[in-house]
Amino acid sequence: MGLALCPRRQSWKKRALKISSSSVEQLLRQPLPKFRAVLLHGPDNGLVRERSRILVQAAAGTPPDPFQVSDISATEARKDPALLIDEAATFPLTGGCKVIRLRDVTEQDCKTLKALLATQLDNVLVLAEAGELRGKSALKRLFEDADDAAAIACYQDTTNAINHFIRTFCEQHHLEVTPSALDYLVQHLGSDRMVTRCELEKLVTYMGENHSIGEADAVAIVGDSASHSLNSFAVAVADGSDEHIARTWTSLRLQGTTPVQALRATLRHFQRLHYVVTSAALGKPSNISMKSLRPPIHFSVREAFQRQVGIWSADKLGRAMLILTEAEAHCKKKGAVGEVATNMAFLQIINAAKKIKKDAAPLHH
């Protein structure tokens, strides 16, 4: 059953409709309360575009009928305030629902969109695509409070969401993915939904007639210089290496690495350390535990990893993991809060690493 889109104007009123992130994927594919307008907003621009595409297809078919869809930039609409209303009043040559997709919307477009939503128009769906909006955004309130409208937030995927998306994507393409390959893909994807999809589509092409994705396949397609730099950065954090951290962090930021990606890579490193340390406490030799890790420890950091296993305790590793997890949660907040929280988290762990190294160093008389 498709979405209940493009309704004729209804007389009923509703309370503010803000679709939660936990239910949005299901709601996009099942009948929704009838609405004529949807605001898609958030820091994950790729997810904004993907959800917009799903709604366009639900209203105008797959592939969408080009006569039914109008793509307009907010810049164009600002130059001609009547453009949106004129476009909405134009009936598609082939009939059906008219879809207006307005790209790059900001707070300054609130007045224009308010006028459009107040217009008596039948069989029209307006999709407004915006970036991250502040908590008390007038634009969000407009869509949440208006009749027949809704707001959908598009945040960066959580680890569980990335895992689910990759597995679902592979199933749709009749591909199996090994646990180690899945772990690698989850660690290296997820900062932007469209980037994740493009990388997986490249992987599908690469696999050809082979229907089982192994870790080597994932590394061959998704692996890049930033991946190794992220790993080196995480190792440097656990080592308390100021100079290496500063140099690598600058390089990663220039490559477009987000704070969330850096936090996740560092968390993954500490989780691996924690596994080896706790296994050793239970009697399993650390070298055996290290060999069992997937993906394998890169030869360039193997010595540092072994050294860190010898000086970090399970309790301190647990505390470091908690700091990183809390910092990622802060990254979902508005503005520079996430950036500050990320820097503070790394600084706390680096200082702890320095103290741990100092305490573990042999005394010289």
Side-chain angles (χ1 to χ4, degrees), residues 212-286:
S212 181
I213 301 172
E215 185 182 333
D217 302 314
V219 173
I221 297 303
V222 178
D224 55 22
S225 59
S227 301
H228 178 62
S229 296
L230 269 173
N231 188 36
S232 298
F233 174 78
V235 173
V237 170
D239 234 4
S241 177
D242 281 332
E243 184 178 347
H244 189 183
I245 290 167
R247 184 172 62 251
T248 308
W249 182 237
T250 300
S251 174
L252 287 170
R253 295 298 279 154
L254 288 173
Q255 293 177 54
T257 300
T258 65
V260 169
Q261 287 175 307
L263 288 166
R264 286 179 180 170
T266 308
L267 176 60
R268 176 64 174 166
H269 177 67
F270 276 88
Q271 287 171 335
R272 284 152 67 89
L273 285 173
H274 189 267
Y275 166 74
V276 176
V277 170
T278 53
S279 295
L282 295 173
K284 185 176 183 179
S286 61

Side-chain angles (χ1 to χ4, degrees), residues 140-294:
K140 279 199 295 186
R141 293 302 302 175
L142 171 65
F143 278 78
E144 291 169 3
D145 292 344
D147 294 346
D148 315 329
I152 298 178
C154 302
Y155 297 111
Q156 290 178 331
D157 287 324
T158 62
T159 299
N160 287 339
I162 298 168
N163 186 302
H164 176 73
F165 179 78
I166 293 171
R167 285 188 288 104
T168 301
F169 183 94
C170 290
E171 288 171 5
Q172 291 171 346
H173 289 81
H174 309 293
L175 291 169
E176 295 181 358
V177 56
T178 64
S180 59
L182 181 60
D183 285 346
Y184 180 88
L185 291 171
V186 168
Q187 183 180 349
H188 292 83
L189 296 174
S191 62
D192 183 287
R193 176 63 70 86
M194 289 298 286
V195 172
T196 297
R197 180 178 288 279
C198 288
E199 290 296 307
L200 292 176
E201 288 173 349
K202 283 162 51 181
L203 187 55
V204 169
T205 303
Y206 172 81
M207 295 306 296
E209 298 298 318
N210 189 348
H211 295 291
S212 181
I213 301 172
E215 185 182 333
D217 302 314
V219 173
I221 297 303
V222 178
D224 55 22
S225 59
S227 301
H228 178 62
S229 296
L230 269 173
N231 188 36
S232 298
F233 174 78
V235 173
V237 170
D239 234 4
S241 177
D242 281 332
E243 184 178 347
H244 189 183
I245 290 167
R247 184 172 62 251
T248 308
W249 182 237
T250 300
S251 174
L252 287 170
R253 295 298 279 154
L254 288 173
Q255 293 177 54
T257 300
T258 65
V260 169
Q261 287 175 307
L263 288 166
R264 286 179 180 170
T266 308
L267 176 60
R268 176 64 174 166
H269 177 67
F270 276 88
Q271 287 171 335
R272 284 152 67 89
L273 285 173
H274 189 267
Y275 166 74
V276 176
V277 170
T278 53
S279 295
L282 295 173
K284 185 176 183 179
S286 61
N287 63 321
I288 301 298
S289 297
M290 287 172 61
K291 287 180 181 179
S292 70
L293 291 173
R294 294 292 179 272

